[in-house]
């Protein structure tokens, strides 16, 4: 078990201020509904989501797995429950993804499908508001007897789907169903009622979304109460689960005293998101300080170069610091999505670009590796080495990852921009047109870029404004160039952002150039698996060697003298920058990690041994861990 730090209240406040956290969010999110992505890299993925991912999810949920039939059976109070006890959540996550897709890709047929599913879900709700097909069909007398049976987890995803569909269409039925479930739960749990520790966190962040949508503070208070249940011994009183492991469930200490990551990776990420959301409204500096310490532990000692987390398949999570095996790496796709959600919130609190650096690393390597280039097959586990026997599947018995990807991809626009009272924040470089509310007026911008393959991005300001523009300079960038209307401007960076302050006229154009040399990366020497090895990265993209391009990936060696050539291959793997080089006189080819296993089966490697007899001076290596 990892140690934790206990800080006095005064020290907590000082630490919070010192790390740049305020009692509220510094940056406000620009919702993706205001951002139209027009981008050579991301537009095909959004199109694949519409044409492939959503149809796969509909077919699996409706026709192949019985997930919708569970709701039909529950409404009729007859028949058996099929699948796993938390399968309702896959339906809700997919519906959330459908709602997001409808915002930018209206589709009457898809909307009718959501309405049909909503009606079936509403029919399955009990008169008291309870909704969970597993317990409805296996015995309502057993509900709320096992904290790890995901009842609140499923309810959280129901809420998120309801909020998303309400925002997309104005239709309230799904939202009302979720709200009724929460209102029922609050008659059972809360101050002066039953204690409860949700075995799989998620409800906490969903309750904050319900609060934001309805304006009813009782939902925020309930989220806060649930967070405060952890670490107080209530989980060990779980009636039907005598093997409750507080470390696995993030229940060993109160959340404000948790500074070391432990247990299940996805559960941890959802917990941290819930803590951040509650802290934003409750002004809880203790939560923020804990999150800051947890971030240091996750990113500094427990994160893969791909942004993946959770190294062990035994607990789908964390073991000990620097335990980062490659062939056995778990790196669940959902955990990488969780890293994006959490780091996005941390950036909003602090205005620090280091969080977007991690967010970007996770998106371009740990998340989109979880879906095939066609959008129709998925990875649950994302190892950093393969002997040729690890492949994406069309679906899983535990299908959290396909449905999670379905809702993540269409919401990509959430992470591009942010606003504060005095500035427009540019976080990611993705081609788009956006209309952004700033103060009492709207600002229209247009971004054009070939990122992550090309080095130059242009941001055109379409109407006059008097706010600063803050552009994130990625941590991997060693130098950058900024021009305004073709003229170079000098700026300094603060917390990873270059700031330009001026009166902006309609048509003004910012040009940012981020050189992208190929870099040899090293891990912290305490990562035993990667001692004496190097990885390759260009810009935000981590590369790998796949047997489809190489005689034997195990023969590839890198040294200080290794040089690389790059070329854009428009017809290879959806269009990529390919890297080539030579080892012991033999040529080798590297491809982006996210593209592997889209061709014939074969070995894959991310980390390569140093040439025998050579040693690269540590000061000449580029480490990916801070």
């Amino acid at each position: 078990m990892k140690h934790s730090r206990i800080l006095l209240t005064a020290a907590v406040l000082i630490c919070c201020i010192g790390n740049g956290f305020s009692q509220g969010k510094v940056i406000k999110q620009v919702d993706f509904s205001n951002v139209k992505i027009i981008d050579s890299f991301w537009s095909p993925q959004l199109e694949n989501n519409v044409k492939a991912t959503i149809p796969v999810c509909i077919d699996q949920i409706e026709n192949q797995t019985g997930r919708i039939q569970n709701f039909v059976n529950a409404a009729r109070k007859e028949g058996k429950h099929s699948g796993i006890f938390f399968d309702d959540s896959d339906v809700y996550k997919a519906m959330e993804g459908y709602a997001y897709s409808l915002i930018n890709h209206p589709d009457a047929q898809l909307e009718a499908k959501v309405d049909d599913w909503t009606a079936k879900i509403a029919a399955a709700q009990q008169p008291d508001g309870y909704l969970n097909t597993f317990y409805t069909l296996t015995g309502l007398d057993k509900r709320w007897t096992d904290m790890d049976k995901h009842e609140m987890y499923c309810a959280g995803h129901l809420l998120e789907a309801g909020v998303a569909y309400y925002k997309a269409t104005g239709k309230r039925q799904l939202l009302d169903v979720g709200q009724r479930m929460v209102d029922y739960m609050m008659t059972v749990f809360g101050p002066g009622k039953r204690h409860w520790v949700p075995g799989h966190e998620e409800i906490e962040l969903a309750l904050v979304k319900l609060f934001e949508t309805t304006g009813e503070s009782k939902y925020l208070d309930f989220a806060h109460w649930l967070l405060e249940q952890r670490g107080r011994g209530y989980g060990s009183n779980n009636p039907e689960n005598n093997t409750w492991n507080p470390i696995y469930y993030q229940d060993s200490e109160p959340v404000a005293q948790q500074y070391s990551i432990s247990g299940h990776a996805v559960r941890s990420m959802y917990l941290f998101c819930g803590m951040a959301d509650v802290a934003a409204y409750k002004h809880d500096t203790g939560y923020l300080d804990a999150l800051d310490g947890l971030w240091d532990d996750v990113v500094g000692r427990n994160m893969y170069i791909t942004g993946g987390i959770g190294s062990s398949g035994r607990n789908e999570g964390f073991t000990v610091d620097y335990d980062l095996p490659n062939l056995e790496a778990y790196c669940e796709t959902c955990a990488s999505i969780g890293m994006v959600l959490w780091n996005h919130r941390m950036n909003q609190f602090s205005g620090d670009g280091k969080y977007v650096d991690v967010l970007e690393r996770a998106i371009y390597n740990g998340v989109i590796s979880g879906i095939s280039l066609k959008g129709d097959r998925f990875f649950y586990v994302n190892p950093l080495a393969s002997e040729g026997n690890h492949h994406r599947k069309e679906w899983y018995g535990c299908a959290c990852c396909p449905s999670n990807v379905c809702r993540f991809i269409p919401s990509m626009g959430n992470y591009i921009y942010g606003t504060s009272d005095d500035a427009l924040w540019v976080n990611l470089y993705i081609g788009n047109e956006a209309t952004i509310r700033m103060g009492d007026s709207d600002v229209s911008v247009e971004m054009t870029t070939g990122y992550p393959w090309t080095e130059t991005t242009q941001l055109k300001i379409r109407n006059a404004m008097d706010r600063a523009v803050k552009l994130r300079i990625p941590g991997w960038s060693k130098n950058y160039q900024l021009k305004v209307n073709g003229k170079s401007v000098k700026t300094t960076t603060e917390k990873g952002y270059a700031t330009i302050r001026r009166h902006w006229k309609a048509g003004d154009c910012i040009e940012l150039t981020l050189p992208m040399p190929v870099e040899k990366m090293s891990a912290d020497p305490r990562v035993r698996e990667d001692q004496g090895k190097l990885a390759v990265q260009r810009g935000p993209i981590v590369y790998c060697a796949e047997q489809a391009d190489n005689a034997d990936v195990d023969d590839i060696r890198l040294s200080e003298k290794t040089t690389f050539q790059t070329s854009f291959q428009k017809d290879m793997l959806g269009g990529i920058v390919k890297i080539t080089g030579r080892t012991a006189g033999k040529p080798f080819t590297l491809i982006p990690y996210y593209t592997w296993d889209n061709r014939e089966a074969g070995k894959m490697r991310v980390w390569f041994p140093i040439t025998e007899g050579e040693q690269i001076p540590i000061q000449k290596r580029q480490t990916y861990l801070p």
Side-chain angles (χ1 to χ4, degrees):
M1 177 178 175
K2 294 185 177 183
H3 69 281
S4 64
R5 295 179 287 159
I6 300 177
L7 303 179
L8 298 176
T9 302
V12 170
L13 182 58
I14 292 171
C15 184
C16 256
I17 294 172
N19 283 305
F21 291 120
S22 68
Q23 289 189 337
K25 292 184 178 180
V26 173
I27 304 173
K28 297 178 181 178
Q29 173 181 297
V30 174
D31 191 82
F32 74 90
S33 60
N34 298 309
V35 180
K36 181 180 180 182
I37 291 178
I38 307 170
D39 183 82
S40 59
F41 186 89
W42 284 104
S43 290
Q45 300 199 43
L46 291 167
E47 185 175 348
N48 286 342
N49 185 73
V50 173
K51 293 183 177 180
T53 309
I54 288 176
V56 165
C57 289
I58 290 174
D59 180 55
Q60 290 289 335
I61 289 171
E62 196 168 54
N63 304 318
Q64 306 298 327
T65 65
R67 280 164 169 77
I68 286 295
Q69 189 62 39
N70 283 336
F71 289 97
V72 174
N73 291 351
R76 295 173 178 170
K77 296 182 175 58
E78 63 181 28
K80 295 182 178 180
H81 181 275
S82 66
I84 309 174
F85 55 84
F86 51 74
D87 278 356
D88 290 0
S89 65
D90 294 334
V91 178
Y92 302 144
K93 280 188 288 184
M95 292 175 77
E96 184 183 354
Y98 305 162
Y100 292 155
S101 180
L102 287 170
I103 289 175
N104 287 324
H105 295 87
D107 182 329
Q109 187 174 359
L110 179 60
E111 186 171 341
K113 179 66 67 178
V114 178
D115 290 342
D116 177 58
W117 287 12
T118 297
K120 290 181 169 65
I121 291 166
Q125 189 163 35
Q126 298 302 298
D128 61 7
Y130 181 80
L131 178 57
N132 185 284
T133 66
F134 175 76
Y135 278 111
T136 299
L137 292 170
T138 61
L140 283 169
D141 59 316
K142 292 292 186 180
R143 59 181 171 175
W144 308 122
T145 58
D146 188 342
M147 293 177 180
D148 197 30
K149 275 295 190 286
H150 292 43
E151 288 160 279
M152 287 192 179
Y153 169 81
C154 290
H157 282 303
L158 168 61
L159 285 178
E160 289 203 87
V163 169
Y165 196 57
Y166 172 63
K167 289 182 177 179
T169 66
K171 297 177 181 179
R172 287 195 58 98
Q173 186 180 21
L174 190 61
L175 175 60
D176 289 343
V177 169
Q179 189 171 0
R180 282 192 64 210
M181 173 60 165
V182 173
D183 288 342
Y184 156 74
M185 289 194 299
M186 292 174 65
T187 67
V188 180
F189 306 103
K193 302 166 190 172
R194 282 186 62 183
H195 296 291
W196 194 259
V197 180
H200 197 312
E201 299 91 331
E202 211 285 331
I203 185 67
E204 302 86 352
L205 67 92
L207 284 166
V208 177
K209 288 188 177 182
L210 182 60
F211 156 67
E212 292 171 338
T213 303
T214 65
E216 295 190 41
S217 60
K218 65 180 181 180
Y219 301 126
L220 174 64
D221 293 339
F222 189 41
H224 191 206
W225 181 83
L226 284 169
L227 290 170
E228 287 299 303
Q229 291 284 286
R230 295 185 177 277
R232 317 220 180 246
Y234 303 131
S236 60
N237 297 324
N238 193 12
E240 295 293 326
N241 187 344
N242 296 321
T243 60
W244 185 267
N245 182 338
I247 296 174
Y248 177 79
Y249 296 110
Q250 299 80 45
D251 187 37
S252 58
E253 297 160 305
V255 293
Q257 296 175 21
Q258 294 186 22
Y259 294 93
S260 297
I261 191 68
S262 65
H264 190 278
V266 179
R267 300 176 199 226
S268 297
M269 294 299 104
Y270 289 164
L271 171 63
F272 302 161
C273 289
M275 289 171 63
D277 288 343
V278 168
Y281 291 105
K282 293 290 186 179
H283 308 307
D284 195 319
T285 54
Y287 278 14
L288 295 178
D289 182 70
L291 290 170
D292 188 40
L294 286 161
W295 189 87
D296 286 343
D297 192 39
V298 174
V299 176
R301 295 179 283 276
N302 293 279
M303 184 182 77
Y304 283 91
I305 191 172
T306 57
I309 58 168
S311 60
S312 173
R314 292 187 299 274
N315 64 348
E316 295 190 314
F318 303 94
T319 55
V320 297
D321 289 343
Y322 306 106
D323 178 29
L324 298 170
N326 294 313
L327 188 64
E328 301 85 11
Y330 204 71
C331 293
E332 185 179 337
T333 300
C334 286
S336 291
I337 291 174
M339 280 288 277
V340 174
L341 301 176
W342 177 35
N343 278 276
H344 181 51
R345 288 162 166 83
M346 296 295 282
N347 172 256
Q348 288 179 300
F349 273 117
S350 64
D352 197 324
K354 69 181 182 180
Y355 300 113
V356 186
D357 286 347
V358 174
L359 176 155
E360 180 181 67
R361 182 178 293 278
I363 288 176
Y364 281 96
N365 303 288
V367 174
I368 61 175
S369 61
I371 187 167
S372 67
L373 295 178
K374 293 182 180 179
D376 59 351
R377 292 186 176 272
F378 309 92
F379 274 153
Y380 191 108
V381 176
N382 294 271
L384 278 74
S386 172
E387 295 303 318
N389 55 359
H390 184 79
H391 308 294
R392 292 179 182 83
K393 297 181 180 180
E394 190 174 30
W395 202 250
Y396 292 85
C398 174
C400 53
C401 295
S403 54
N404 221 349
V405 171
C406 178
R407 70 176 183 149
F408 179 80
I409 294 295
S411 65
M412 262 303 301
N414 277 340
Y415 310 105
I416 300 175
Y417 299 109
T419 64
S420 59
D421 290 341
D422 64 343
L424 171 64
W425 301 67
V426 184
N427 290 316
L428 297 181
Y429 299 105
I430 297 172
N432 70 88
E433 296 176 352
T435 301
I436 301 168
R437 190 70 179 176
M438 299 191 69
D440 297 327
S441 60
D442 290 335
V443 174
S444 294
V445 296
E446 178 184 355
M447 185 184 294
T448 56
T449 184
Y451 197 93
W453 309 129
T454 61
E455 300 176 341
T456 300
T457 296
Q458 292 184 332
L459 181 69
K460 183 176 291 186
I461 312 296
R462 287 180 163 176
N463 54 307
M465 70 170 185
D466 287 308
R467 287 176 172 80
V469 176
K470 290 178 172 287
L471 300 107
R472 181 181 66 94
I473 307 302
W476 52 259
S477 175
K478 303 302 182 292
N479 54 74
Y480 67 95
Q481 297 175 345
L482 265 175
K483 295 181 180 179
V484 175
N485 299 331
K487 296 182 179 179
S488 296
V489 294
K490 291 184 178 180
T491 63
T492 57
T493 59
E494 180 180 3
K495 292 185 178 181
Y497 288 89
T499 303
I500 305 176
R501 301 182 187 277
R502 58 179 281 154
H503 170 71
W504 298 97
K505 299 177 181 178
D508 281 349
C509 184
I510 303 170
E511 183 175 285
L512 172 65
T513 300
L514 298 167
M516 295 183 181
V518 179
E519 300 279 9
K520 305 181 188 79
M521 313 296 289
S522 65
D524 187 294
R526 287 168 286 191
V527 180
R528 290 187 301 170
E529 183 85 7
D530 298 329
Q531 290 175 359
K533 295 179 182 178
L534 294 173
V536 175
Q537 181 173 325
R538 179 182 182 271
I541 303 293
V542 174
Y543 278 73
C544 70
E546 196 173 22
Q547 194 164 333
D549 306 301
N550 299 279
D552 191 342
V553 298
D554 290 328
D555 288 341
I556 298 175
R557 299 287 188 273
L558 300 180
S559 75
E560 183 181 356
K561 298 178 182 178
T562 302
T563 58
F564 303 98
Q565 295 77 45
T566 62
S567 60
F568 183 74
Q569 305 291 318
K570 67 177 182 178
D571 296 323
M572 183 179 184
L573 295 168
I576 62 167
V577 166
K578 179 179 74 173
I579 296 176
T580 57
R582 301 188 74 82
T583 179
K586 298 179 181 179
F588 64 82
T589 295
L590 305 180
I591 60 171
Y593 170 78
Y594 77 85
T595 67
W596 83 278
D597 194 49
N598 278 280
R599 299 173 293 182
E600 62 268 26
K603 292 182 179 180
M604 182 275 295
R605 299 288 185 271
V606 169
W607 290 95
F608 306 100
I610 295 172
T611 302
E612 187 174 354
E614 295 190 18
Q615 185 172 0
I616 297 180
I618 191 68
Q619 66 270 20
K620 292 192 177 182
R621 302 183 191 177
Q622 306 293 331
T623 181
Y624 75 94
L625 291 173

